[in-house]
Amino acid sequence: MMKDDCIFCKLANGVFETNVIYEDDDFTVILDANPATKGHALILPKEHYDNIYELDEEIAGKAFKLAKKLAVHMSDKLGCDGFNIVQNNGEAAGQTVFHFHMHLIPRYKNDAAMVQWKPGKPEDDELKKICAELKIY
Ligand code: 5GP
Ligand code: ZN
């Protein structure tokens, strides 16, 4: 289902014109309007899901399969040196458009894109505690 006030629903379903590099029954892949690097693209499901928490499991599987296919294709075409797959959920995580999407970001040696975090230095005890909390038995 499309959501009325969602820009990505409109772009994914051809209501608004945009730069489409791939389309199938479930997804449209478009160029990001404000690319981090040359070729930065977005995988958009045609159905509306706010984020990964809402995402249908089958669509989740298909999305990653498509990311793999496009990473190979785009790297081949662009001759990039690396590739980031980025997927933000929630404002705190940097999500600005609340329709699930995956960023495909080609990387070039010495490019100015930033997909980084400051590495923490937790004590071993701390890691053991969080591991116990998160472990799925
Ligand atoms: P987020 O921060 O939610 O993970 O990423 C949203 C991305 O969508 C940003 O990289 C932004 O540049 C891109 N974007 C936002 N509005 C539009 C639009 O109307 N068209 C296209 N092609 N990209 C958009
Ligand atoms: Zn939407």
Side-chain angles (χ1 to χ4, degrees), residues 24-95:
D24 63 24
D25 288 348
D26 299 308
F27 301 98
T28 304
V29 182
I30 68 171
L31 292 184
D32 196 294
N34 311 103
T37 62
K38 180 183 162 193
H40 181 173
L42 302 169
I43 296 180
L44 311 179
K46 290 184 173 179
E47 290 275 322
H48 181 91
Y49 307 98
D50 278 359
N51 50 41
I52 199 165
Y53 306 112
E54 288 196 352
L55 189 64
D56 174 82
E57 273 199 21
E58 199 184 324
I59 294 293
K62 285 181 176 175
F64 209 79
K65 223 170 153 181
L66 182 55
K68 146 81 186 171
K69 180 177 166 152
L70 284 160
V72 171
H73 167 76
M74 290 167 69
S75 298
D76 183 40
K77 288 281 179 187
L78 294 164
C80 55
D81 304 304
F83 211 89
N84 289 122
I85 309 284
V86 177
Q87 201 280 304
N88 302 322
N89 300 282
E91 215 175 318
Q95 187 177 11

Side-chain angles (χ1 to χ4, degrees), residues 87-131:
Q87 201 280 304
N88 302 322
N89 300 282
E91 215 175 318
Q95 187 177 11
T96 57
V97 180
F98 296 90
H99 173 124
F100 175 91
H101 54 279
M102 288 170 89
H103 294 262
L104 304 171
I105 309 178
R107 299 302 303 270
Y108 306 88
K109 263 187 195 106
N110 303 318
D111 70 31
M114 285 197 299
V115 184
Q116 278 173 336
W117 56 87
K118 194 170 151 240
K121 293 197 188 322
E123 296 295 328
D124 198 38
D125 275 3
E126 240 179 288
L127 285 177
K128 285 206 158 48
K129 208 170 136 199
I130 191 80
C131 182

Side-chain angles (χ1 to χ4, degrees), residues 1-13 45-50 97-100:
M1 274 268 283
M2 288 221 310
K3 196 175 167 202
D4 277 351
D5 57 349
C6 175
I7 178 78
F8 280 4
C9 276
K10 293 184 168 63
L11 294 171
N13 291 282
K46 290 184 173 179
E47 290 275 322
H48 181 91
Y49 307 98
D50 278 359
V97 180
F98 296 90
H99 173 124
F100 175 91

